Amino acid sequence: MTLPQLNIYRHDRGRRALITLAGEIDPATAPQVRAALERCLHDGITTIDVELTTVGRCDNSGPRVFLDASRHAAGSHASLRLHHPSPQTTRLLADTGSDLLLP
């Protein structure tokens, strides 16, 4: 059995961070996503852009992490936005009410 893989890249520009995710978001990899987003807030980032172009598959754990991180960001006067999700991920975000994170 092959474990799902997710690569996370972060590029900061001032108080803005671009997080690029590549791979799959599921229960095995969602904690990595959560940790990366929380690290941004811990580091004083106020705008977090999450690039989803290279996310092949995303299950319900993805929107849950994004919504939790968005709430935490709002509490820190920061924002989180998702960019370029696949059609499948877009449907999942809409079904879970997470589409409000899309610009």
Side-chain angles (χ1 to χ4, degrees):
M1 180 173 111
T2 305
L3 292 176
Q5 182 173 339
L6 180 69
N7 293 307
I8 301 173
Y9 305 96
R10 177 177 163 180
H11 178 74
D12 293 356
R13 180 168 279 158
R15 295 178 60 102
R16 182 178 206 120
L18 172 62
I19 302 293
T20 302
L21 305 175
E24 298 179 7
I25 303 173
D26 62 18
T29 60
Q32 294 172 272
V33 177
R34 183 180 308 279
L37 299 174
E38 293 296 324
R39 173 56 66 190
C40 288
L41 295 173
H42 180 271
D43 292 346
I45 298 295
T46 57
T47 303
I48 305 169
D49 294 303
V50 181
E51 178 58 56
L52 299 171
T53 301
T54 53
V55 170
R57 188 174 70 81
C58 179
D59 72 5
N60 288 337
S61 58
R64 192 174 8 221
V65 168
F66 297 136
L67 280 174
D68 289 348
S70 177
R71 288 184 193 115
H72 189 210
S76 301
H77 305 289
S79 65
L80 180 137
R81 290 284 178 248
L82 306 176
H83 301 275
H84 307 111
S86 70
Q88 178 267 336
T89 301
T90 300
R91 282 190 301 279
L92 180 61
L93 292 168
D95 290 347
T96 59
S98 304
D99 54 339
L100 60 102
L101 299 175
L102 297 169

